[in-house]
Amino acid sequence: MLRILVADDHELTRFSLKAALRNQPGIELVGLAVNGSEAVEMVQRYRPDVVILDLQMPVMDGMSAASEIKRQVPHVQILAYSSLEDPKVEPLLREATITELCRKDTPTADLIAKVRQLGLPLVEYPVF
C-alpha cells in the first residue's frame, strides 16, 4: 500500500486531492496538512512514502518543509505541487530535497501516475 500525505493551505485543493486519491487501488491517504509545519509533524507521525507538498503555504513554506522532511525522513519522496514557476525550486531538485515538481494544472490522472511512479520501490540488483 502506497502511503500519501497531502499538504496544501487551500481547502478546495486538499479535498480535491483527497477525492482523487481516495478511490485509487493501492493508495492510502494518511493525512491532510494545512501548512508546512503541520506537514513536517505529520510525516514524523504517519511515515508516508510520498508527500504532495504545496510550495507556498503559511507558517512554514513548502520549500522549508521539504528540507526539514528530508532531513528527518530521507527516504520520503516529495512531489512539489505548485501553480507558480519558482526559480528556487531548481536547486532543491538538484539537492534531491524535492523529488519532482508538478504544476497544479496537471490532469488528475497524470498526477496520480506521478505519485505511483515516485512510490515504486527501488529495485535492488545483485552485486557480482
Side-chain angles (χ1 to χ4, degrees):
M1 187 65 74
L2 184 58
R3 298 169 53 80
I4 309 297
L5 173 73
V6 171
D8 198 297
D9 61 322
H10 290 100
E11 183 178 30
L12 182 60
T13 301
R14 283 192 313 276
F15 289 105
S16 295
L17 289 172
K18 178 182 177 179
L21 294 167
R22 177 180 18 201
N23 297 319
Q24 295 297 316
I27 290 181
E28 176 187 8
L29 181 63
V30 296
L32 298 169
V34 299
N35 60 54
S37 180
E38 189 174 61
V40 171
E41 292 172 20
M42 292 179 93
V43 164
Q44 293 171 351
R45 188 175 328 132
Y46 298 117
R47 299 294 186 184
D49 302 302
V50 178
V51 177
I52 301 173
L53 186 67
D54 184 15
L55 295 180
Q56 296 186 329
M57 293 185 288
V59 182
M60 177 187 279
D61 65 63
M63 288 182 269
S64 299
S67 295
E68 185 61 22
I69 289 167
K70 286 299 253 188
R71 186 184 71 73
Q72 294 181 18
V73 187
H75 72 275
V76 72
Q77 303 297 299
I78 298 176
L79 180 63
Y81 193 57
S82 182
S83 58
L84 301 175
E85 297 287 329
D86 192 333
K88 293 184 253 179
V89 172
E90 284 300 318
L92 291 174
L93 285 166
R94 283 194 298 276
E95 294 169 11
T97 302
I98 292 174
T99 314
E100 192 168 333
L101 177 63
C102 183
R103 293 188 42 88
K104 286 189 175 179
D105 60 0
T106 299
T108 303
D110 293 347
L111 172 67
I112 292 170
K114 284 181 187 271
V115 167
R116 287 187 187 284
Q117 182 181 8
L118 291 177
L120 288 176
L122 296 175
V123 177
E124 293 187 26
Y125 296 96
V127 178
F128 295 101

